[in-house]
Amino acid sequence: DAGVIQSPRHEVTEMGQEVTLRCKPISGHDYLFWYRQTMMRGLELLIYFNNNVPIDDSGMPEDRFSAKMPNASFSTLKIQPSEPRDSAVYFCASKLAGGNSPLHFGNGTRLTVT
Amino acid sequence: SQKIEQNSEALNIQEGKTATLTCNYTNYSPAYLQWYRQDPGRGPVFLLLIRENEKEKRKERLKVTFDTTLKQSLFHITASQPADSATYLCALSNQAGTALIFGKGTTLSVSS
């Protein structure tokens, strides 16, 4: 099993540009999560999906952020337009159903917006 | 609002000693408490999970305690090794394991 795969690993873009982050969850997992990590705020949950359906997007900072999961093996997080304060490491994670099933994280995308 | 605090940002200990990390929380009644390890440039990796009705869980050199009255978890690494150096995150979740919130982590450094 390759684990959760995220791309790109690093993204540098200019303010105002559109950014798309990609995630391939572990096959067979029921849930997919998008987190953002900064030194100041730690790991923050942005949105999560259950069986490809968005369940809770209350953590999405503002309308500039959107996430989709068109099928069980692919999800995207899009920021349009990007701003310097969006600079962070974005993690995707997946899990099986059940409260005692842990999260499996990808290695993240480090986003820098200049 | 829900809040998780890990006792310190950094902990330095000598090889062979026991490392003890603390996680306190408020305004939450979690069903599960989890501990993760994060190495630089990598995503968090799951270590241990303990249920609200469990007091203690062990796995090899790791031990986790959970006191729902004190709203506190202690994470112990016995016979610590330099390879244990990493950031350790505690996380709380609901019954479904979906509303998972994380502490900011404690960075452990084990010197030889």
Side-chain angles (χ1 to χ4, degrees), chain A residues 9 31 33 35 37 40-41 43 48 91 95 98-100 102-103 105-107, chain B residues 32 34 36 38 41-44 46 49 51 89 95-98 100 102 104:
Chain A
R9 287 282 279 137
Y31 289 85
F33 301 77
Y35 280 86
Q37 187 175 42
M40 284 291 292
R41 301 172 70 91
L43 266 172
Y48 77 90
F91 287 102
K95 72 184 283 296
N100 61 347
L103 291 182
F105 283 83
N107 283 324
Chain B
Y32 301 97
Q34 305 180 27
Y36 290 76
Q38 187 174 20
R42 308 295 294 270
F46 171 75
L49 174 148
R51 292 176 170 78
L89 305 166
Q95 196 68 37
T98 52
L100 200 69
F102 283 83
K104 289 185 180 178

Short mmCIF file of all heavy atoms in Angstrom, two decimals, chain A residues 9 31 33 35 37 40-41 43 48 91 95 98-100 102-103 105-107, chain B residues 32 34 36 38 41-44 46 49 51 89 95-98 100 102 104:
data_model
loop_
_atom_site.label_atom_id
_atom_site.label_comp_id
_atom_site.label_asym_id
_atom_site.label_seq_id
_atom_site.Cartn_x
_atom_site.Cartn_y
_atom_site.Cartn_z
N ARG A 9 4.59 18.39 -3.82
CA ARG A 9 5.16 18.44 -2.46
C ARG A 9 5.42 19.89 -2.05
O ARG A 9 5.32 20.25 -0.87
CB ARG A 9 6.45 17.63 -2.41
CG ARG A 9 6.22 16.15 -2.44
CD ARG A 9 5.78 15.63 -1.06
NE ARG A 9 6.92 15.45 -0.18
CZ ARG A 9 6.93 15.81 1.10
NH1 ARG A 9 5.88 16.39 1.64
NH2 ARG A 9 7.99 15.58 1.84
N TYR A 31 -13.28 7.81 4.58
CA TYR A 31 -13.24 9.23 4.90
C TYR A 31 -11.97 9.87 4.34
O TYR A 31 -10.90 9.25 4.34
CB TYR A 31 -13.26 9.45 6.41
CG TYR A 31 -14.57 9.14 7.09
CD1 TYR A 31 -14.88 7.83 7.49
CD2 TYR A 31 -15.51 10.14 7.33
CE1 TYR A 31 -16.07 7.54 8.12
CE2 TYR A 31 -16.71 9.85 7.97
CZ TYR A 31 -16.98 8.56 8.35
OH TYR A 31 -18.17 8.27 8.98
N PHE A 33 -9.88 13.71 4.70
CA PHE A 33 -9.79 14.97 5.44
C PHE A 33 -8.73 15.87 4.80
O PHE A 33 -7.70 15.39 4.34
CB PHE A 33 -9.36 14.71 6.89
CG PHE A 33 -10.28 13.81 7.68
CD1 PHE A 33 -10.27 12.44 7.48
CD2 PHE A 33 -11.17 14.35 8.60
CE1 PHE A 33 -11.11 11.61 8.20
CE2 PHE A 33 -12.01 13.52 9.33
CZ PHE A 33 -11.99 12.15 9.14
N TYR A 35 -6.35 19.06 6.10
CA TYR A 35 -5.88 19.84 7.23
C TYR A 35 -4.87 20.87 6.74
O TYR A 35 -4.22 20.68 5.72
CB TYR A 35 -5.17 18.95 8.26
CG TYR A 35 -6.07 18.17 9.19
CD1 TYR A 35 -6.57 16.92 8.81
CD2 TYR A 35 -6.41 18.66 10.44
CE1 TYR A 35 -7.38 16.19 9.67
CE2 TYR A 35 -7.22 17.94 11.30
CZ TYR A 35 -7.70 16.71 10.91
OH TYR A 35 -8.50 15.99 11.76
N GLN A 37 -1.54 23.13 8.39
CA GLN A 37 -0.66 23.23 9.56
C GLN A 37 0.22 24.46 9.48
O GLN A 37 0.91 24.67 8.47
CB GLN A 37 0.21 21.98 9.70
CG GLN A 37 1.03 21.94 10.99
CD GLN A 37 1.79 20.64 11.16
OE1 GLN A 37 2.37 20.11 10.22
NE2 GLN A 37 1.78 20.08 12.37
N MET A 40 1.74 28.82 14.12
CA MET A 40 0.88 29.58 15.04
C MET A 40 -0.36 28.80 15.47
O MET A 40 -0.74 28.82 16.64
CB MET A 40 0.43 30.88 14.37
CG MET A 40 1.50 31.93 14.32
SD MET A 40 1.88 32.60 15.94
CE MET A 40 0.36 33.47 16.30
N ARG A 41 -0.98 28.09 14.54
CA ARG A 41 -2.29 27.50 14.80
C ARG A 41 -2.28 25.98 14.84
O ARG A 41 -3.30 25.37 15.17
CB ARG A 41 -3.28 27.99 13.74
CG ARG A 41 -3.43 29.52 13.72
CD ARG A 41 -4.27 29.97 12.54
NE ARG A 41 -5.66 29.58 12.72
CZ ARG A 41 -6.58 30.36 13.31
NH1 ARG A 41 -6.25 31.53 13.75
NH2 ARG A 41 -7.83 29.94 13.43
N LEU A 43 -2.37 22.13 13.60
CA LEU A 43 -3.17 21.42 12.59
C LEU A 43 -4.63 21.83 12.71
O LEU A 43 -5.25 21.64 13.75
CB LEU A 43 -3.06 19.91 12.79
CG LEU A 43 -2.03 19.13 12.02
CD1 LEU A 43 -1.97 17.70 12.51
CD2 LEU A 43 -2.30 19.14 10.53
N TYR A 48 -14.01 17.65 5.59
CA TYR A 48 -13.86 16.21 5.40
C TYR A 48 -15.03 15.64 4.61
O TYR A 48 -16.12 16.21 4.58
CB TYR A 48 -13.65 15.47 6.72
CG TYR A 48 -14.86 15.24 7.59
CD1 TYR A 48 -15.65 14.11 7.45
CD2 TYR A 48 -15.18 16.14 8.61
CE1 TYR A 48 -16.73 13.88 8.27
CE2 TYR A 48 -16.26 15.92 9.44
CZ TYR A 48 -17.04 14.79 9.28
OH TYR A 48 -18.11 14.57 10.10
N PHE A 91 -2.24 19.16 4.55
CA PHE A 91 -2.21 17.70 4.63
C PHE A 91 -3.55 17.13 4.23
O PHE A 91 -4.61 17.66 4.57
CB PHE A 91 -1.90 17.24 6.05
CG PHE A 91 -0.47 17.44 6.47
CD1 PHE A 91 -0.12 18.49 7.30
CD2 PHE A 91 0.51 16.56 6.05
CE1 PHE A 91 1.20 18.69 7.69
CE2 PHE A 91 1.83 16.73 6.44
CZ PHE A 91 2.17 17.80 7.26
N LYS A 95 -9.19 7.64 6.33
CA LYS A 95 -9.40 6.64 7.38
C LYS A 95 -10.56 5.75 7.01
O LYS A 95 -11.42 6.11 6.19
CB LYS A 95 -9.67 7.30 8.74
CG LYS A 95 -11.02 7.96 8.87
CD LYS A 95 -11.18 8.68 10.22
CE LYS A 95 -11.45 7.79 11.39
NZ LYS A 95 -12.70 7.05 11.37
N GLY A 98 -15.43 4.11 11.60
CA GLY A 98 -15.24 3.62 12.95
C GLY A 98 -14.43 4.59 13.78
O GLY A 98 -13.42 5.11 13.32
N GLY A 99 -14.90 4.83 14.99
CA GLY A 99 -14.24 5.82 15.83
C GLY A 99 -12.83 5.46 16.21
O GLY A 99 -12.01 6.32 16.47
N ASN A 100 -12.53 4.16 16.24
CA ASN A 100 -11.19 3.76 16.64
C ASN A 100 -10.25 3.56 15.46
O ASN A 100 -9.16 3.02 15.62
CB ASN A 100 -11.26 2.48 17.48
CG ASN A 100 -11.87 1.33 16.69
OD1 ASN A 100 -12.44 1.55 15.62
ND2 ASN A 100 -11.74 0.13 17.19
N PRO A 102 -7.64 5.11 13.01
CA PRO A 102 -6.83 6.32 13.01
C PRO A 102 -6.74 6.98 11.64
O PRO A 102 -7.10 6.38 10.62
CB PRO A 102 -5.45 5.79 13.41
CG PRO A 102 -5.42 4.41 12.85
CD PRO A 102 -6.83 3.90 12.99
N LEU A 103 -6.25 8.20 11.63
CA LEU A 103 -5.99 8.91 10.38
C LEU A 103 -4.66 8.44 9.80
O LEU A 103 -3.70 8.22 10.53
CB LEU A 103 -5.93 10.41 10.63
CG LEU A 103 -7.21 11.13 11.02
CD1 LEU A 103 -6.94 12.61 11.18
CD2 LEU A 103 -8.28 10.90 9.98
N PHE A 105 -2.01 10.01 7.22
CA PHE A 105 -1.69 11.28 6.56
C PHE A 105 -0.76 11.08 5.38
O PHE A 105 0.10 10.19 5.38
CB PHE A 105 -0.99 12.22 7.55
CG PHE A 105 -1.90 12.87 8.54
CD1 PHE A 105 -2.27 12.21 9.71
CD2 PHE A 105 -2.38 14.15 8.33
CE1 PHE A 105 -3.10 12.81 10.64
CE2 PHE A 105 -3.22 14.76 9.25
CZ PHE A 105 -3.57 14.09 10.41
N GLY A 106 -0.91 11.97 4.39
CA GLY A 106 0.10 12.11 3.37
C GLY A 106 1.25 12.96 3.91
O GLY A 106 1.21 13.40 5.06
N ASN A 107 2.25 13.20 3.08
CA ASN A 107 3.40 13.99 3.52
C ASN A 107 3.24 15.48 3.27
O ASN A 107 4.17 16.25 3.49
CB ASN A 107 4.68 13.47 2.89
CG ASN A 107 5.15 12.19 3.57
OD1 ASN A 107 5.01 12.04 4.79
ND2 ASN A 107 5.71 11.27 2.81
N TYR B 32 -12.51 9.34 22.11
CA TYR B 32 -11.18 8.75 21.90
C TYR B 32 -10.11 9.83 22.02
O TYR B 32 -10.33 10.98 21.68
CB TYR B 32 -11.07 8.14 20.50
CG TYR B 32 -12.09 7.07 20.21
CD1 TYR B 32 -13.26 7.38 19.52
CD2 TYR B 32 -11.88 5.75 20.60
CE1 TYR B 32 -14.20 6.41 19.26
CE2 TYR B 32 -12.83 4.77 20.32
CZ TYR B 32 -13.99 5.11 19.66
OH TYR B 32 -14.91 4.14 19.39
N GLN B 34 -6.00 10.19 20.84
CA GLN B 34 -4.98 9.55 20.02
C GLN B 34 -3.66 10.32 20.14
O GLN B 34 -3.66 11.53 20.39
CB GLN B 34 -5.42 9.53 18.56
CG GLN B 34 -6.76 8.88 18.33
CD GLN B 34 -7.18 8.87 16.87
OE1 GLN B 34 -6.35 8.88 15.97
NE2 GLN B 34 -8.49 8.83 16.64
N TYR B 36 0.01 10.94 17.96
CA TYR B 36 0.68 10.83 16.68
C TYR B 36 2.11 11.34 16.81
O TYR B 36 2.40 12.20 17.63
CB TYR B 36 -0.04 11.67 15.60
CG TYR B 36 -1.38 11.12 15.17
CD1 TYR B 36 -2.51 11.26 15.98
CD2 TYR B 36 -1.52 10.46 13.95
CE1 TYR B 36 -3.74 10.76 15.59
CE2 TYR B 36 -2.76 9.96 13.55
CZ TYR B 36 -3.85 10.11 14.38
OH TYR B 36 -5.07 9.61 13.98
N GLN B 38 5.22 13.12 14.53
CA GLN B 38 5.49 13.82 13.27
C GLN B 38 6.98 14.14 13.17
O GLN B 38 7.54 14.78 14.05
CB GLN B 38 4.67 15.11 13.17
CG GLN B 38 4.80 15.78 11.82
CD GLN B 38 3.87 16.97 11.64
OE1 GLN B 38 3.39 17.55 12.62
NE2 GLN B 38 3.57 17.33 10.40
N GLY B 41 9.08 17.53 7.84
CA GLY B 41 8.79 17.33 6.42
C GLY B 41 7.88 16.15 6.13
O GLY B 41 7.70 15.80 4.96
N ARG B 42 7.30 15.56 7.16
CA ARG B 42 6.43 14.39 6.96
C ARG B 42 5.08 14.63 7.62
O ARG B 42 4.90 15.53 8.45
CB ARG B 42 7.08 13.14 7.59
CG ARG B 42 8.50 12.88 7.16
CD ARG B 42 8.59 12.55 5.69
NE ARG B 42 7.95 11.31 5.35
CZ ARG B 42 8.56 10.13 5.35
NH1 ARG B 42 9.81 10.03 5.71
NH2 ARG B 42 7.90 9.04 4.99
N GLY B 43 4.12 13.82 7.24
CA GLY B 43 2.82 13.89 7.88
C GLY B 43 2.83 13.15 9.21
O GLY B 43 3.69 12.30 9.45
N PRO B 44 1.87 13.45 10.09
CA PRO B 44 1.78 12.73 11.37
C PRO B 44 1.52 11.24 11.13
O PRO B 44 0.82 10.86 10.19
CB PRO B 44 0.58 13.39 12.05
CG PRO B 44 0.48 14.75 11.42
CD PRO B 44 0.89 14.54 10.00
N PHE B 46 0.22 7.74 13.16
CA PHE B 46 -0.52 7.26 14.33
C PHE B 46 0.34 6.34 15.19
O PHE B 46 1.05 5.48 14.67
CB PHE B 46 -1.76 6.51 13.85
CG PHE B 46 -2.49 5.79 14.94
CD1 PHE B 46 -3.26 6.48 15.86
CD2 PHE B 46 -2.41 4.41 15.05
CE1 PHE B 46 -3.94 5.82 16.86
CE2 PHE B 46 -3.09 3.72 16.05
CZ PHE B 46 -3.85 4.44 16.96
N LEU B 49 -4.14 4.75 20.43
CA LEU B 49 -5.48 5.28 20.67
C LEU B 49 -5.98 4.72 21.98
O LEU B 49 -5.74 3.55 22.29
CB LEU B 49 -6.41 4.86 19.52
CG LEU B 49 -7.90 5.20 19.64
CD1 LEU B 49 -8.48 5.47 18.25
CD2 LEU B 49 -8.67 4.09 20.32
N ARG B 51 -9.56 4.76 24.56
CA ARG B 51 -10.98 5.10 24.66
C ARG B 51 -11.27 5.84 25.95
O ARG B 51 -10.53 5.73 26.92
CB ARG B 51 -11.84 3.84 24.58
CG ARG B 51 -11.82 3.15 23.25
CD ARG B 51 -12.63 1.85 23.31
NE ARG B 51 -12.84 1.27 21.99
CZ ARG B 51 -11.94 0.57 21.32
NH1 ARG B 51 -10.75 0.38 21.84
NH2 ARG B 51 -12.23 0.08 20.13
N LEU B 89 1.99 14.70 18.80
CA LEU B 89 0.71 15.41 18.79
C LEU B 89 -0.35 14.57 19.48
O LEU B 89 -0.44 13.36 19.22
CB LEU B 89 0.26 15.67 17.35
CG LEU B 89 1.23 16.40 16.43
CD1 LEU B 89 0.78 16.28 14.98
CD2 LEU B 89 1.30 17.86 16.81
N GLN B 95 -17.29 10.07 18.75
CA GLN B 95 -17.55 8.63 18.63
C GLN B 95 -17.26 8.11 17.23
O GLN B 95 -16.81 7.00 17.06
CB GLN B 95 -19.01 8.36 19.02
CG GLN B 95 -19.32 6.90 19.30
CD GLN B 95 -18.65 6.39 20.55
OE1 GLN B 95 -18.52 7.10 21.54
NE2 GLN B 95 -18.20 5.15 20.52
N ALA B 96 -17.54 8.95 16.24
CA ALA B 96 -17.33 8.52 14.85
C ALA B 96 -15.88 8.67 14.41
O ALA B 96 -15.51 8.21 13.33
CB ALA B 96 -18.24 9.31 13.91
N GLY B 97 -15.10 9.34 15.23
CA GLY B 97 -13.70 9.56 14.86
C GLY B 97 -13.53 10.57 13.77
O GLY B 97 -12.50 10.59 13.09
N THR B 98 -14.49 11.44 13.58
CA THR B 98 -14.42 12.40 12.48
C THR B 98 -14.03 13.80 12.95
O THR B 98 -13.24 14.46 12.30
CB THR B 98 -15.78 12.48 11.76
OG1 THR B 98 -16.81 12.71 12.73
CG2 THR B 98 -16.06 11.18 11.02
N LEU B 100 -11.88 15.30 14.58
CA LEU B 100 -10.58 15.11 15.22
C LEU B 100 -9.87 16.45 15.31
O LEU B 100 -9.61 17.08 14.30
CB LEU B 100 -9.75 14.13 14.39
CG LEU B 100 -8.58 13.45 15.09
CD1 LEU B 100 -9.09 12.49 16.12
CD2 LEU B 100 -7.72 12.71 14.09
N PHE B 102 -6.50 18.56 17.00
CA PHE B 102 -5.12 18.29 17.41
C PHE B 102 -4.57 19.38 18.31
O PHE B 102 -4.90 20.56 18.17
CB PHE B 102 -4.22 18.21 16.17
CG PHE B 102 -4.33 16.92 15.41
CD1 PHE B 102 -5.36 16.74 14.49
CD2 PHE B 102 -3.43 15.90 15.61
CE1 PHE B 102 -5.46 15.54 13.78
CE2 PHE B 102 -3.52 14.71 14.90
CZ PHE B 102 -4.55 14.53 14.00
N LYS B 104 -0.98 21.39 19.48
CA LYS B 104 0.09 21.94 18.64
C LYS B 104 1.35 21.09 18.69
O LYS B 104 2.25 21.27 17.88
CB LYS B 104 0.42 23.36 19.06
CG LYS B 104 -0.67 24.36 18.71
CD LYS B 104 -0.24 25.77 19.03
CE LYS B 104 -1.34 26.74 18.68
NZ LYS B 104 -0.97 28.14 19.02
#
